[in-house]
Amino acid sequence: MTEREIALNALAVGRLVFVDTIAFPANGPLVSVELSPRLVSILPADYHALRLRRESFNVASVITRYERYVVTLERHGYEEATAVAEEMLRTAKIQAAKR
């Protein structure tokens, strides 16, 4: 994936409702997607970001990773956060479909 493609994907991902910021560590293989302050405020620090491989970074892969994240929240008993995350997931899927 070229730097231009990564930049365009970052713009698209950054518009998703559950995304706050995106960090690309220099020469690192992973991208860090920091989650919405709405979620971060009700979760421990371990749940504040998603990590994805740089070469597969796009809207679809971020949404897929976020879906797994929501399942993890539910499995670990974070009921309030799960409800918020599910609402944001529905909105993000609508956003992605309009793209």
Side-chain angles (χ1 to χ4, degrees):
M1 185 178 303
T2 67
E3 291 301 314
R4 183 177 189 281
E5 290 171 321
I6 291 172
L8 290 173
N9 285 330
L11 288 173
V13 168
R15 291 184 188 113
L16 295 174
V17 68
F18 59 81
V19 175
D20 185 30
T21 59
I22 303 166
F24 295 89
N27 299 321
L30 299 178
V31 175
S32 178
V33 178
E34 301 293 326
L35 298 175
S36 163
R38 186 171 167 204
L39 272 174
V40 169
S41 69
I42 56 177
L43 287 168
D46 291 349
Y47 296 92
H48 289 188
L50 305 176
R51 307 279 188 275
L52 295 100
R53 298 196 57 75
R54 185 183 289 254
E55 65 269 5
S56 64
F57 178 72
N58 60 43
V59 170
S61 67
V62 171
I63 288 177
T64 299
R65 177 65 185 93
Y66 187 72
E67 287 173 324
R68 290 193 308 262
Y69 170 84
V70 173
V71 169
T72 300
L73 291 178
E74 185 173 23
R75 189 172 55 233
H76 290 137
Y78 294 106
E79 295 173 13
E80 180 184 1
T82 299
V84 171
E86 286 174 339
E87 174 189 326
M88 290 180 156
L89 178 60
R90 285 189 296 275
T91 303
K93 286 182 175 181
I94 292 168
Q95 288 176 311
K98 290 180 179 179
R99 230 184 76 140

